[in-house]
Amino acid sequence: TLTGSDRLRLAAILFRGVGASQVAAPWMELENRPEVSDFWDIQGHGDACYRSSKDWLGSEDSMAQSRTDNGHIVFVSHCWSAPVGWAETIPNLTSFSQTKAAELCDYAKDVSAQLYDDASAWHKIGFWIDKACIPQSDPDMMSLCVNLLEEFIALSDG
């Protein structure tokens, strides 16, 4: 059994992130960025999303520098499925995937405005998102990462 500090060290080794511009886009750019809404599509993708993320913290020796290089990272909690009645409420306006991508972009802009006094620097923000930061094709690793969610939250900047 791992101690609290051992769990945090292990989580730091496994901690990954994905850049905001890979999973988010402004409302007006969604039509030209299908890969962004495709990311949020509920259908699988296997480890393709995981391969799009990167080690965010690096090794213990380089953790501070990796944090500086990779920037601010936010833990994203979300629902994969559209809410009941979504299609009736928002008929033919936008998909649930597009809405998630645009809302996440808006959030990244808010964080960027707070951190850098510049909402247009939103692409500097990173996200911890389960689909991209937990390997989906390895059941043992997936279980381990799910059991470390608390530590991943603690390692995030918000």
Side-chain angles (χ1 to χ4, degrees):
T1 253
L2 296 173
T3 66
S5 59
D6 289 338
R7 288 177 59 86
L8 195 57
R9 260 194 301 284
L10 178 57
I13 292 167
L14 297 173
F15 192 77
R16 296 177 69 84
V18 62
S21 61
Q22 294 176 264
V23 296
W27 282 104
M28 300 305 288
E29 293 177 21
L30 285 171
E31 292 298 320
N32 299 324
R33 302 276 319 279
E35 73 281 2
V36 172
S37 55
D38 286 351
F39 173 88
W40 292 105
D41 184 10
I42 196 167
Q43 303 302 320
H45 300 299
D47 273 344
C49 292
Y50 181 76
R51 286 189 299 276
S52 71
S53 67
K54 65 180 180 178
D55 290 332
W56 206 262
L57 300 179
S59 67
E60 273 190 77
D61 302 348
S62 64
M63 202 172 285
Q65 186 60 49
S66 293
R67 265 242 192 244
T68 301
D69 294 345
N70 292 324
H72 194 85
I73 187 162
V74 177
F75 187 95
V76 175
S77 179
H78 62 99
C79 179
W80 282 110
S81 301
V84 174
W86 174 267
E88 295 79 28
T89 306
I90 315 287
N92 301 319
L93 295 177
T94 183
S95 71
F96 186 58
S97 298
Q98 288 176 319
T99 300
K100 287 171 82 168
E103 288 188 359
L104 197 57
C105 180
D106 288 344
Y107 182 72
K109 287 179 179 182
D110 288 346
V111 171
S112 178
Q114 290 172 10
L115 289 174
Y116 310 117
D117 290 323
D118 182 5
S120 69
W122 66 272
H123 55 77
K124 293 181 180 180
I125 306 302
F127 294 112
W128 188 99
I129 302 169
D130 54 1
K131 187 176 192 176
C133 298
I134 294 177
Q136 303 294 306
S137 64
D138 183 334
D140 292 334
M141 187 62 107
M142 187 180 337
S143 176
L144 175 63
C145 288
V146 167
N147 284 314
L148 292 170
L149 284 177
E150 219 173 298
E151 286 77 11
F152 292 145
I153 292 169
L155 291 166
S156 300
D157 298 312

